[in-house]
Amino acid sequence: MLTEKPIWKILQTLYQQTRQLEMSKLFAEEPDRTQCFSLQTEHLYLDYSKNRITTEIFDHLIQLAQDADLNKAIESMFKGEQLNFTEKRP
């Protein structure tokens, strides 16, 4: 189970350490924060810089996605494979 993996526990600890951080402090420490924590495609702009995220947390979230085999799940979804096992449907 994903919640039993070491990376999950690390993220829980990081959450406890950062949950009281003020956004103004994060932006003061990282003036280019919006560039670091946003992405844009032709029709979509995602800005997650206004969340209590750090580069360390971001890296651990990427590791969590890899541990969860997210890429495989995404591929399965696009192939129409069964993902909803309780209802036995894609």
Side-chain angles (χ1 to χ4, degrees):
M1 177 160 268
L2 197 57
T3 56
E4 295 173 3
K5 292 190 178 280
I7 195 71
W8 185 270
K9 294 178 187 351
I10 291 169
L11 283 164
Q12 285 181 313
T13 300
L14 289 171
Y15 165 74
Q16 292 301 323
Q17 293 171 356
T18 60
R19 68 186 185 137
Q20 299 299 324
L21 285 177
E22 293 182 17
M23 293 309 305
S24 57
K25 181 179 179 185
L26 290 173
F27 275 94
E29 291 173 355
E30 295 178 280
D32 62 341
R33 184 172 175 77
T34 302
Q35 285 181 312
C36 293
F37 296 112
S38 65
L39 54 95
Q40 184 169 0
T41 65
E42 186 177 347
H43 301 288
L44 181 67
Y45 178 70
L46 298 174
D47 179 4
Y48 44 99
S49 66
K50 295 166 186 72
N51 290 279
R52 290 180 185 97
I53 190 167
T54 63
T55 303
E56 180 182 15
I57 292 170
F58 183 82
D59 291 342
H60 288 306
L61 287 169
I62 296 297
Q63 182 63 51
L64 181 67
Q66 290 170 344
D67 288 357
D69 211 3
L70 183 60
N71 286 337
K72 182 180 177 194
I74 291 170
E75 286 177 30
S76 296
M77 180 182 70
F78 282 109
K79 289 178 182 176
E81 295 176 3
Q82 181 178 327
L83 297 176
N84 185 335
F85 295 100
T86 57
E87 296 177 10
K88 297 183 174 73
R89 61 189 184 106

